Amino acid sequence: MGSVEYEPLLLGLNSQARISELPSSAVEEFLVHQKVTPRWWPRLVGWESRLLWILSGSSIVVSIFNYMLSFVTLMFCGHLGALELAGASIASVGIQGLAYGIMLGMASAVQTVCGQAYGANKLSAMGIICLRAIILHLGAAVLLTFIYWYSGPILHAIGQSESISEQGQIFARGLIPQLYAFAINCPMQRFLQAQNIVNPLAYIAVGVFLFHTLCTYIVVYVLDYGLLGAALMLSFSWWILVFITGAYILLTPRCKETWTGFSLKAFQGIWPYFKLTVASAVMLCLEIWYNQGLVLISGLLPNPTVSLDSISICMNYLNWDMQFMLGLAAAASVRVSNELGAGHPMVAKFSVFVVNGTSILISIVFSAIVLIFKVGLSELFTSDEEVIEAVSNLTPLLAISVFLNGIQPILSGVAIGSGWQGIVAYVNLFTYYIIGLPIGCVLGFKTSLGVAGIWWGMIIGVLLQTVTLIILTARTNWNAEVEKAVDRLKKSANEENQNLVDNI
């Protein structure tokens, strides 16, 4: 009876354009009551893909071009010399990466809380949440400044050579202004994204990237300011991002209800908000620090300059791929959480299917590009023949990692949309640090594999984590997830403005 009742829903829709106009509720009814025949799958996939790319397009642009600021800086540092590249890479990974994991993990709470406040129409609370996050981020930046300033002794203490540690300290000290810019920019970006204001962020990111590339070329090649000049230029570009984004928030009519100015209320409820950031921060830090830890370990191998340069170049391309996938993962998180909140378990499940299929296809293309252009990719960073050969030898492993890292962030995005951050944090701890890292160390130092052995450890850890997340996703009861989402929405709807901000 259900099949006959709901068959007219999509009957006669013979074009992709018309099916794209359907609301989620109509597709949910169709998926629940119809036995979907093969002719409908391409149209339904097209419907979901359209929604996915509307959300993810600008987010991917922002993620990639913000990352490309550091990427371009390291490219110019590589042409200063192999030692300079090794120093900049170890500072970028070991020092800047530490701050990046902490700041990004803390900022993930902004999008969660602001997103819920926006959905509950508590618009004035969003500015308070953003201010509160900036205060906490700046507090973290003050503490991290000591690590940046004394990065040379720290890097040397963990086994890096004295020459590499010295170059790393020069680069890290030039990044101290960037640390404070990052502390302000992260919450502001999440504040805008929670309101679906993404396109302006993309325009700003592209514009600052073009400016940064030109100015870094002048600073390094024309003015010959070396490693410190490159680092200070990166810091300056991040402050430009802060000023333009801040000006947009202050001046645009789109934020007139959500940004109500500076308020002392931001200091109220800081501790409950801080506790909210812990699960997401731990989850994200464990992922980011895993890759960066392997780069640090590679600096302990024989011939550390070549080992560091080769794995750092490969890791930069892997990170570039990760930025693309993180933009897609953010869209996946929004799609899943939106459909669960709307009471559409079948559409949420279908969205997971489509986004994972999309990410796999993209990862295959990226892996092929890595294998085809393996020599050309390394020459962008260095002219050292020994480093170029080492990178070429690592590219098959890089291609495998690109493929796996095209799937893993999407599953993490689904986990965030479903509220599984705590579970995934434990999964990351077990698969990365208890299994993957020790295996990488054994293969790297106890066999002839060297840096390739360390990379194999990373691959094993990511593979186990990916398989675990696939099992978790496959075993998910989406109807139960809808019930949880409905309960959360009811609780939020019954709370007063301040209670929402403090206790959400």
CSV table of all heavy atoms in Angstrom, one decimal, residues 103 106 131-145 179-185 187 239:
chain,number,residue,atom,x,y,z
A,103,MET,N,44.5,25.1,18.6
A,103,MET,CA,43.6,26.2,18.2
A,103,MET,C,42.4,25.7,17.4
A,103,MET,O,41.3,26.1,17.7
A,103,MET,CB,44.4,27.2,17.4
A,103,MET,CG,45.5,28.0,18.2
A,103,MET,SD,44.8,29.2,19.3
A,103,MET,CE,46.3,30.0,19.9
A,106,MET,N,40.1,23.7,19.6
A,106,MET,CA,39.2,24.6,20.5
A,106,MET,C,38.2,25.3,19.6
A,106,MET,O,37.0,25.5,20.1
A,106,MET,CB,40.1,25.7,21.1
A,106,MET,CG,41.1,25.1,22.2
A,106,MET,SD,42.2,26.4,22.8
A,106,MET,CE,41.1,27.5,23.6
A,131,LEU,N,33.2,36.0,21.1
A,131,LEU,CA,34.1,36.7,22.0
A,131,LEU,C,34.8,35.8,23.1
A,131,LEU,O,36.0,35.9,23.4
A,131,LEU,CB,33.4,37.9,22.7
A,131,LEU,CG,33.3,39.2,22.0
A,131,LEU,CD1,32.4,40.1,22.7
A,131,LEU,CD2,34.6,39.8,21.7
A,132,ARG,N,34.0,35.0,23.6
A,132,ARG,CA,34.4,34.0,24.7
A,132,ARG,C,35.5,33.1,24.1
A,132,ARG,O,36.5,32.9,24.7
A,132,ARG,CB,33.3,33.2,25.2
A,132,ARG,CG,33.6,32.2,26.3
A,132,ARG,CD,32.3,31.6,26.8
A,132,ARG,NE,31.4,32.5,27.4
A,132,ARG,CZ,30.1,32.3,27.6
A,132,ARG,NH1,29.6,31.1,27.2
A,132,ARG,NH2,29.3,33.2,28.1
A,133,ALA,N,35.3,32.6,22.9
A,133,ALA,CA,36.3,31.8,22.2
A,133,ALA,C,37.6,32.5,22.0
A,133,ALA,O,38.7,32.0,22.2
A,133,ALA,CB,35.7,31.2,20.9
A,134,ILE,N,37.5,33.8,21.5
A,134,ILE,CA,38.7,34.6,21.2
A,134,ILE,C,39.5,34.8,22.5
A,134,ILE,O,40.7,34.7,22.5
A,134,ILE,CB,38.3,35.9,20.6
A,134,ILE,CG1,37.8,35.7,19.2
A,134,ILE,CG2,39.5,36.9,20.6
A,134,ILE,CD1,37.2,37.0,18.5
A,135,ILE,N,38.8,35.0,23.6
A,135,ILE,CA,39.5,35.2,24.9
A,135,ILE,C,40.3,33.9,25.3
A,135,ILE,O,41.5,34.0,25.7
A,135,ILE,CB,38.5,35.5,26.0
A,135,ILE,CG1,37.9,36.9,25.8
A,135,ILE,CG2,39.1,35.4,27.4
A,135,ILE,CD1,36.7,37.2,26.7
A,136,LEU,N,39.6,32.8,25.1
A,136,LEU,CA,40.3,31.5,25.5
A,136,LEU,C,41.5,31.2,24.5
A,136,LEU,O,42.5,30.7,24.9
A,136,LEU,CB,39.3,30.3,25.4
A,136,LEU,CG,38.3,30.3,26.6
A,136,LEU,CD1,37.2,29.2,26.3
A,136,LEU,CD2,39.0,30.0,27.9
A,137,HIS,N,41.2,31.5,23.2
A,137,HIS,CA,42.3,31.3,22.2
A,137,HIS,C,43.5,32.2,22.5
A,137,HIS,O,44.7,31.8,22.4
A,137,HIS,CB,41.8,31.6,20.8
A,137,HIS,CG,41.0,30.4,20.2
A,137,HIS,ND1,39.8,30.0,20.7
A,137,HIS,CD2,41.4,29.6,19.2
A,137,HIS,CE1,39.4,29.0,19.9
A,137,HIS,NE2,40.3,28.7,19.0
A,138,LEU,N,43.3,33.5,22.9
A,138,LEU,CA,44.4,34.4,23.2
A,138,LEU,C,45.1,33.9,24.4
A,138,LEU,O,46.4,34.0,24.5
A,138,LEU,CB,43.9,35.8,23.3
A,138,LEU,CG,43.4,36.5,22.1
A,138,LEU,CD1,42.8,37.9,22.4
A,138,LEU,CD2,44.6,36.7,21.1
A,139,GLY,N,44.4,33.4,25.4
A,139,GLY,CA,45.0,32.8,26.6
A,139,GLY,C,45.9,31.7,26.2
A,139,GLY,O,47.1,31.6,26.7
A,140,ALA,N,45.5,30.8,25.3
A,140,ALA,CA,46.3,29.7,24.9
A,140,ALA,C,47.5,30.2,24.1
A,140,ALA,O,48.6,29.6,24.2
A,140,ALA,CB,45.5,28.7,24.0
A,141,ALA,N,47.3,31.2,23.3
A,141,ALA,CA,48.4,31.8,22.5
A,141,ALA,C,49.5,32.3,23.4
A,141,ALA,O,50.7,32.2,23.1
A,141,ALA,CB,47.9,32.9,21.6
A,142,VAL,N,49.2,33.0,24.5
A,142,VAL,CA,50.2,33.5,25.5
A,142,VAL,C,51.0,32.3,26.0
A,142,VAL,O,52.3,32.4,26.1
A,142,VAL,CB,49.5,34.2,26.6
A,142,VAL,CG1,50.5,34.6,27.7
A,142,VAL,CG2,48.8,35.5,26.1
A,143,LEU,N,50.4,31.2,26.4
A,143,LEU,CA,51.2,30.1,26.9
A,143,LEU,C,52.0,29.5,25.8
A,143,LEU,O,53.2,29.1,26.0
A,143,LEU,CB,50.2,29.0,27.4
A,143,LEU,CG,49.3,29.5,28.6
A,143,LEU,CD1,48.3,28.3,29.0
A,143,LEU,CD2,50.2,29.8,29.8
A,144,LEU,N,51.5,29.4,24.6
A,144,LEU,CA,52.3,28.8,23.5
A,144,LEU,C,53.4,29.6,23.0
A,144,LEU,O,54.4,29.1,22.4
A,144,LEU,CB,51.3,28.5,22.3
A,144,LEU,CG,50.3,27.4,22.5
A,144,LEU,CD1,49.2,27.4,21.4
A,144,LEU,CD2,51.0,26.0,22.5
A,145,THR,N,53.4,30.9,23.3
A,145,THR,CA,54.4,31.8,22.9
A,145,THR,C,55.8,31.4,23.5
A,145,THR,O,56.8,31.5,22.8
A,145,THR,CB,54.1,33.3,23.4
A,145,THR,OG1,52.9,33.7,22.7
A,145,THR,CG2,55.3,34.2,23.0
A,179,LEU,N,50.7,33.4,15.5
A,179,LEU,CA,50.0,32.6,16.5
A,179,LEU,C,48.8,33.4,17.1
A,179,LEU,O,47.7,32.9,17.2
A,179,LEU,CB,51.0,32.3,17.7
A,179,LEU,CG,50.5,31.7,18.9
A,179,LEU,CD1,49.9,30.3,18.6
A,179,LEU,CD2,51.6,31.5,19.9
A,180,TYR,N,49.0,34.7,17.3
A,180,TYR,CA,47.9,35.6,17.8
A,180,TYR,C,46.9,35.9,16.8
A,180,TYR,O,45.7,36.0,17.1
A,180,TYR,CB,48.5,36.8,18.4
A,180,TYR,CG,49.3,36.6,19.7
A,180,TYR,CD1,50.6,36.3,19.7
A,180,TYR,CD2,48.6,36.7,20.9
A,180,TYR,CE1,51.3,36.0,20.8
A,180,TYR,CE2,49.3,36.4,22.1
A,180,TYR,CZ,50.7,36.1,22.0
A,180,TYR,OH,51.4,35.8,23.2
A,181,ALA,N,47.3,36.0,15.5
A,181,ALA,CA,46.3,36.2,14.4
A,181,ALA,C,45.5,34.9,14.3
A,181,ALA,O,44.2,35.0,14.1
A,181,ALA,CB,47.1,36.5,13.1
A,182,PHE,N,46.1,33.8,14.4
A,182,PHE,CA,45.3,32.5,14.3
A,182,PHE,C,44.3,32.4,15.4
A,182,PHE,O,43.2,31.9,15.2
A,182,PHE,CB,46.3,31.4,14.3
A,182,PHE,CG,45.8,30.1,13.8
A,182,PHE,CD1,45.5,30.0,12.4
A,182,PHE,CD2,45.7,29.0,14.6
A,182,PHE,CE1,45.0,28.8,11.9
A,182,PHE,CE2,45.2,27.8,14.1
A,182,PHE,CZ,44.9,27.7,12.7
A,183,ALA,N,44.7,32.9,16.6
A,183,ALA,CA,43.8,32.8,17.8
A,183,ALA,C,42.6,33.6,17.6
A,183,ALA,O,41.5,33.3,18.1
A,183,ALA,CB,44.6,33.3,19.0
A,184,ILE,N,42.7,34.7,16.9
A,184,ILE,CA,41.5,35.6,16.6
A,184,ILE,C,40.7,35.1,15.4
A,184,ILE,O,39.5,35.1,15.4
A,184,ILE,CB,41.9,37.0,16.4
A,184,ILE,CG1,42.6,37.5,17.7
A,184,ILE,CG2,40.7,37.9,16.1
A,184,ILE,CD1,43.3,38.9,17.6
A,185,ASN,N,41.4,34.6,14.4
A,185,ASN,CA,40.8,34.3,13.1
A,185,ASN,C,39.9,33.0,13.2
A,185,ASN,O,38.9,33.0,12.6
A,185,ASN,CB,41.9,34.2,12.0
A,185,ASN,CG,41.2,34.1,10.6
A,185,ASN,OD1,40.7,35.1,10.1
A,185,ASN,ND2,41.3,33.0,10.0
A,187,PRO,N,38.1,31.6,15.7
A,187,PRO,CA,36.7,31.8,16.1
A,187,PRO,C,35.8,32.6,15.2
A,187,PRO,O,34.6,32.4,15.0
A,187,PRO,CB,36.9,32.5,17.5
A,187,PRO,CG,38.2,32.1,17.9
A,187,PRO,CD,39.0,32.0,16.7
A,239,TRP,N,47.6,38.3,9.7
A,239,TRP,CA,47.0,39.5,10.3
A,239,TRP,C,46.1,40.2,9.3
A,239,TRP,O,45.1,40.8,9.7
A,239,TRP,CB,48.0,40.4,10.9
A,239,TRP,CG,48.4,40.0,12.3
A,239,TRP,CD1,49.5,39.4,12.7
A,239,TRP,CD2,47.5,40.2,13.4
A,239,TRP,NE1,49.4,39.1,14.1
A,239,TRP,CE2,48.2,39.7,14.6
A,239,TRP,CE3,46.3,40.8,13.7
A,239,TRP,CZ2,47.7,39.7,15.8
A,239,TRP,CZ3,45.8,40.8,15.0
A,239,TRP,CH2,46.5,40.3,16.0
